[in-house]
Amino acid sequence: MKCMQKEIDIKVKDSLAQDLQKGVPVLLKDGFHETDSLVDGTILKLRNPGGKFIGKGYVGKQNKGIGWLLTKNEAETIDTGFFQNKITNALKHRKDYYENDDTTAFRVFNGEGDGIGGLTIDYFDEFYLLSWYSEGIYAFKEQILKALESAVPSYKGIYEKKRFDTKGQYLEDDDFVKGERGEFPLLVKENGENFAIYLNDGAMVGVFLDQREVRKKIRDEYAKGKTVLNTFSYTGAFSVFAAAGGAKKTTSVDLAKRSLSKTTEQFEINGINVEEQDIIVMDVFDYFKYAKRKELSFDMVILDPPSFARSKKYTFSSAKDYTKLLMDAIAITEKNGVIVASTNNATFGMKKFKTFVEKAFNESNRKYVIEDEFSLPSDFRTSPLFKEGNYLKVLFIRAK
């Protein structure tokens, strides 16, 4: 799909004009007089109500808005050279990651934090994975691919994920784009531990890179000699780091059937005896009930739920239900145990998240101390003018 290269002049409302002049990167729908006629991939020359040029952006409809600001320079052309400059600049900020043999998986380009909202590029040991978050940014695919190839010194292969509704179109074989096809699982390192990655198997590749520093903290400072419950465990990445840090035992709980084989694989490639760990395929909320009934308790409970989840019996929304989730965790956390509470919900900030913690402990009649807190690692660059981009909030809470 070639870039349409269509460029149109458009006046926006004063509220959006003022935001864009400050550098806010997102084009919000309510800043336009009408948006139905705007076609994905169109370049917009944005003007304030008086007709003064304020920036160029592109139409890319996604849940955060209807597009993104690209430049405030009227003379700048949105072409391969433009994308190459952005990617080259992003690579400079990841120089330390490229030089670190202990970590071979990280984010190379993080959307609006690196100047192009709607696009992320991840690096997995000489393979690159591009994620397109709208049809609009996908329209620039050819230029962005050329720009990436020019900017990086070398690569083995390039894969992609289309994270927008393709309505059954663009179904390329297994997301492979060019170069050589990977042999999967691809083994990558994170702070010396191994992860099995699948770039050819649907939207999820096997690990969430934004939790790197949290996993290291668990391994290096919290896990030794402890019983660890990892809920919403996905492929067991937190469990791997807890076990590597000397945890007495890990218990990984997730509703997805494939979490059993995926977690087993992650343990095995790290030389961890799977027989000594528990991997349970079960709804997390049912597991909490089971644990209370059996009077089980843990030294550490890890909570990393999706922002929204639905199972046969439960609907979970982190904005509404996190306090209740924490209370379930508190009930099975040993005295002086630790709860690692995490959320990737962009609709509220750390301050609000801490109010969930306070309420949960108050209602559970337990005292607590927050010992550590994390947001996104440095490879996940964010724009200070787009707070939703810095979505990750993680607290290490000591339950008294």
Side-chain angles (χ1 to χ4, degrees):
M1 186 177 176
K2 297 281 186 208
C3 172
M4 286 169 273
Q5 290 299 358
K6 192 178 174 192
E7 201 170 284
I8 61 169
D9 269 84
I10 190 164
K11 282 185 181 176
V12 298
K13 294 177 186 174
D14 191 49
S15 57
L16 180 57
Q18 287 188 34
D19 278 351
L20 295 174
Q21 273 164 329
K22 285 181 205 153
V24 173
V26 69
L27 306 181
L28 294 172
K29 189 175 182 179
D30 59 10
F32 291 80
H33 297 286
E34 70 87 30
T35 56
D36 291 346
S37 64
L38 295 177
V39 177
D40 272 306
T42 306
I43 294 167
L44 302 176
K45 283 183 84 169
L46 302 151
R47 300 187 180 277
N48 71 9
K52 182 172 179 275
F53 173 84
I54 45 173
K56 279 187 191 180
Y58 78 91
V59 180
K61 294 168 188 171
Q62 59 180 92
N63 59 357
K64 290 175 179 146
I66 66 123
W68 298 92
L69 180 68
L70 292 173
T71 178
K72 290 162 85 176
N73 177 357
E74 193 167 5
E76 193 161 23
T77 310
I78 310 305
D79 57 9
T80 303
F82 170 83
F83 292 116
Q84 190 178 330
N85 286 340
K86 293 286 187 196
I87 294 171
T88 301
N89 188 45
L91 294 177
K92 286 178 191 159
H93 285 274
R94 278 75 174 185
K95 190 168 177 286
D96 289 352
Y97 286 93
Y98 277 103
E99 291 171 356
N100 180 357
D101 292 340
D102 267 354
T103 294
T104 58
F106 50 89
R107 180 147 293 183
V108 166
F109 196 96
N110 195 43
E112 69 284 347
D114 284 299
I116 306 169
L119 169 72
T120 63
I121 306 174
D122 293 318
Y123 175 85
F124 295 99
D125 196 15
E126 296 187 66
F127 285 85
Y128 287 89
L129 175 68
L130 295 97
S131 293
W132 314 98
Y133 285 86
S134 70
E135 274 190 73
I137 193 64
Y138 190 69
F140 297 92
K141 175 177 172 173
E142 296 309 317
Q143 283 107 316
I144 290 170
L145 275 175
K146 276 186 194 150
L148 177 64
E149 288 184 277
S150 300
V152 300
S154 65
Y155 67 88
K156 281 186 180 170
I158 298 174
Y159 280 75
E160 69 181 357
K161 302 291 175 194
K162 299 182 204 75
R163 298 181 181 273
F164 55 90
D165 183 6
T166 61
K167 301 182 179 68
Q169 296 171 298
Y170 324 128
L171 292 176
E172 280 97 353
D173 176 33
D174 74 10
D175 296 325
F176 173 73
V177 179
K178 66 192 310 180
E180 64 180 68
R181 286 177 186 273
E183 288 191 21
F184 300 108
L186 176 67
L187 294 193
V188 299
K189 283 200 179 308
E190 179 182 290
N191 291 311
E193 311 302 338
N194 296 318
F195 282 132
I197 299 296
Y198 294 82
L199 302 180
N200 62 339
D201 186 25
M204 307 290 221
V205 302
V207 67
F208 294 114
L209 299 176
D210 55 3
Q211 294 278 14
R212 183 187 311 111
E213 292 175 351
V214 180
R215 287 189 280 267
K216 186 175 189 297
K217 194 78 170 175
I218 288 169
R219 181 190 67 186
D220 295 355
E221 295 182 33
Y222 282 93
K224 195 170 170 102
K226 301 292 191 277
T227 53
V228 178
L229 172 64
N230 179 13
T231 64
F232 309 98
S233 57
Y234 182 36
T235 64
F238 286 118
S239 304
V240 165
F241 269 72
K248 196 171 172 182
K249 185 181 190 179
T250 68
T251 301
S252 306
V253 181
D254 197 290
L255 182 58
K257 285 192 171 59
R258 60 197 304 214
S259 65
L260 175 59
S261 59
K262 293 283 186 186
T263 303
T264 300
E265 179 179 53
Q266 303 290 28
F267 280 134
E268 286 175 345
I269 61 170
N270 284 287
I272 294 162
N273 187 343
V274 182
E275 302 301 314
E276 292 173 6
Q277 317 300 324
D278 280 344
I279 306 167
I280 299 168
V281 176
M282 189 179 196
D283 191 298
V284 168
F285 302 100
D286 284 335
Y287 183 80
F288 279 125
K289 288 177 181 164
Y290 164 81
K292 276 171 87 170
R293 208 167 56 242
K294 295 285 185 181
E295 297 183 351
L296 302 178
S297 61
F298 298 87
D299 301 315
M300 175 181 269
V301 178
I302 299 165
L303 301 174
D304 186 23
S307 292
F308 187 83
R310 182 179 274 131
S311 66
K312 282 177 187 167
K313 284 200 265 181
Y314 306 99
T315 299
F316 174 83
S317 156
S318 56
K320 290 194 195 116
D321 304 318
Y322 209 105
T323 298
K324 170 74 174 70
L325 178 66
L326 273 164
M327 288 173 71
D328 286 339
I330 292 164
I332 59 169
T333 301
E334 286 279 5
K335 189 172 166 49
N336 280 323
V338 170
I339 295 171
V340 181
S342 174
T343 180
N344 60 5
N345 190 323
T347 64
F348 56 84
M350 185 66 97
K351 195 173 171 186
K352 175 91 177 277
F353 191 41
K354 287 179 178 176
T355 67
F356 299 163
V357 175
E358 187 176 15
K359 192 173 178 212
F361 275 88
N362 284 346
E363 293 194 16
S364 303
N365 290 318
R366 299 266 301 261
K367 290 192 163 29
Y368 70 96
V369 177
I370 293 172
E371 292 191 343
D372 284 294
E373 54 186 89
F374 290 87
S375 55
L376 290 170
S378 61
D379 52 327
F380 282 70
R381 291 179 81 202
T382 57
S383 162
L385 292 161
F386 185 62
K387 288 194 169 55
E388 295 94 321
N390 196 1
Y391 57 84
L392 185 68
K393 296 162 282 290
V394 185
L395 298 169
F396 281 68
I397 309 156
R398 180 78 60 185
K400 299 295 189 182

